[in-house]
Amino acid sequence: MALLEVKNLKVDYPLRSAFWSKKKFLHAVDDVSFTVDRGETVGLVGESGCGKSSIAKALVRLEKITGGSVTLNNVDIAALRGKSLRKARKDFQMVFQDPYGSLNPRLSIRNALEEVLTLHTDLNKKERQQRMRELMQMVGLNPEQLDRYPHQFSGGQRQRIGIARALAAEPQLLIADEPVSALDVSVQASIINLLKELQRSTGIALLFIAHDLAVVEHISDRILVMYLGRVVESAPATELCSKPLHPYTAALLAAVPTLEKRSVSNIKLAGDVPSPLDPPAGCAFHERCPFATAECSQKRPELREIAPGRFSACFHTNENGIFTCAKPQ
């Protein structure tokens, strides 16, 4: 049984309008379903504004879940309130995108970690001190730096501290929301490798969110591709990146600079991502898709299993790939 099971998740944001007009909503996440197994790393990728971060915040209950269910270890997280929710938080933690804004500048690293350990564990003071030293070593930092403040660390070091804080309560699921996008390229690889090593050593499940498919491919066992609030493709990482079954995935891969020649078509995206306030009818991607037909502009394709473990939301998809079953217009 999966550790995390998300079914028909919806996250809507109310829009400001005149009090006499009908209330309107922005559908940031629209009917998304997926699972994460114990010890598995699932990547979630898509352009900015596709709903990735809204999913992350909804899973840790920082955003209101409008519809659907989120079950972690047979517990319905969406239904938890008050003390029950606070107690459950030790099982799911989050690493935020901004390593500068996610740490309280007035708290030393020791105080920041002790705050989590006091809230979510039964360790005594001596045991908490030992655990803090272990956490610093786990993320490649010197325990002697525990009494320093966030401003005394670089961006990469702060992100390591954020990871240590998230792991302090020994969660079953770690959600990393674009954890390297705010870091220098030279530092990104070290954080990715750290997460991979921690995942192997602790057996924690990881939901890794990013807009860079090359980064997601490197760390993930399985990848979900999102476009305008919906998952359009899901597959094992190596299969998805070697033979995408959705035009949008193929376009993302074509945009990744690499020394290796990929066996995918060189699709270039035209136009911009449609506004989620006024999404197009039919397939949300049809206005930018070179394979679109009249059917695509009239009906919305559902995510369906094309081959074992491979799902795509495209009318022109079969197990041989999209490029053999439709011609560019």
Side-chain angles (χ1 to χ4, degrees):
M1 180 178 290
L3 172 66
L4 175 71
E5 187 171 9
V6 178
K7 288 185 177 180
N8 309 115
L9 179 67
K10 293 187 178 185
V11 178
D12 297 337
Y13 297 111
L15 301 175
R16 288 184 178 182
S17 58
F19 71 90
W20 62 82
S21 62
K22 184 178 179 180
K23 200 168 187 179
K24 296 182 179 180
F25 295 88
L26 186 154
H27 305 296
V29 180
D30 186 13
D31 198 25
V32 168
S33 299
F34 64 92
T35 61
V36 180
D37 292 335
R38 298 177 188 277
E40 182 184 29
T41 300
V42 173
L44 185 60
V45 66
E47 293 173 282
S48 297
C50 72
K52 307 184 303 297
S53 292
S54 292
I55 287 180
K57 292 175 182 178
L59 295 183
V60 296
R61 294 293 304 277
L62 294 179
E63 292 289 358
K64 183 179 179 181
I65 297 174
T66 309
S69 64
V70 177
T71 304
L72 179 69
N73 202 18
N74 295 323
V75 176
D76 185 2
I77 296 175
L80 296 179
R81 300 288 186 276
K83 291 183 179 179
S84 298
L85 177 58
R86 287 194 293 272
K87 183 178 179 180
R89 285 193 185 279
K90 76 177 298 292
D91 291 329
F92 55 92
Q93 291 291 311
M94 186 168 173
V95 178
F96 295 90
Q97 177 179 357
D98 182 8
Y100 297 92
S102 61
L103 296 174
N104 188 333
R106 299 189 179 188
L107 289 182
S108 67
I109 307 309
R110 184 185 301 277
N111 289 339
L113 293 177
E114 187 163 26
E115 187 177 57
V116 178
L117 293 171
T118 302
L119 183 63
H120 291 301
T121 73
D122 295 325
L123 301 177
N124 59 37
K125 186 174 182 178
K126 183 178 180 180
E127 291 170 336
R128 290 197 300 271
Q129 298 303 315
Q130 179 59 33
R131 177 60 176 161
M132 283 187 278
R133 296 181 67 86
E134 292 174 356
L135 287 167
M136 292 289 279
Q137 292 173 336
M138 284 174 63
V139 298
L141 294 176
N142 188 342
E144 302 304 318
Q145 298 175 316
L146 274 168
D147 291 313
R148 293 186 180 183
Y149 288 80
H151 73 272
Q152 296 175 286
F153 294 90
S154 67
Q157 289 174 322
R158 292 189 198 191
Q159 196 61 290
R160 289 173 182 267
I161 294 166
I163 293 170
R165 183 181 60 181
L167 293 175
E170 299 184 357
Q172 298 179 56
L173 173 69
L174 181 65
I175 299 170
D177 183 18
E178 304 220 30
V180 298
S181 64
L183 304 177
D184 292 340
V185 175
S186 59
V187 180
Q188 291 182 7
S190 65
I191 298 298
I192 295 296
N193 291 332
L194 172 64
L195 287 171
K196 290 180 69 175
E197 177 56 35
L198 290 172
Q199 199 272 341
R200 282 194 294 265
S201 62
T202 64
I204 194 172
L206 176 63
L207 179 63
F208 185 90
I209 299 170
H211 62 270
D212 188 337
L213 189 51
V215 172
V216 175
E217 177 186 3
H218 180 67
I219 194 174
S220 304
D221 300 311
R222 188 159 47 90
I223 297 176
L224 309 175
V225 180
M226 284 192 70
Y227 187 80
L228 213 65
R230 293 174 64 87
V231 174
V232 296
E233 184 167 359
S234 170
T238 53
E239 295 181 27
L240 181 141
C241 294
S242 62
K243 189 174 69 175
L245 296 184
H246 194 281
Y248 178 61
T249 309
L252 291 179
L253 282 168
V256 174
T258 177
L259 296 176
E260 300 176 1
K261 186 177 180 180
R262 295 184 185 271
S263 57
V264 298
S265 294
N266 187 25
I267 293 181
K268 294 183 179 179
L269 292 178
D272 298 319
V273 180
S275 170
L277 297 176
D278 186 25
C283 175
F285 186 62
H286 82 267
E287 294 179 346
R288 307 174 73 194
C289 179
F291 301 97
T293 63
E295 181 182 25
C296 300
S297 63
Q298 297 167 3
K299 295 193 297 183
R300 185 171 68 179
E302 298 298 326
L303 192 67
R304 58 191 176 92
E305 189 168 21
I306 307 300
R310 303 215 55 184
F311 297 81
S312 175
C314 179
F315 292 122
H316 305 300
T317 297
N318 61 31
E319 64 274 12
N320 295 318
I322 61 170
F323 311 106
T324 61
C325 51
K327 295 181 179 180
Q329 294 179 339

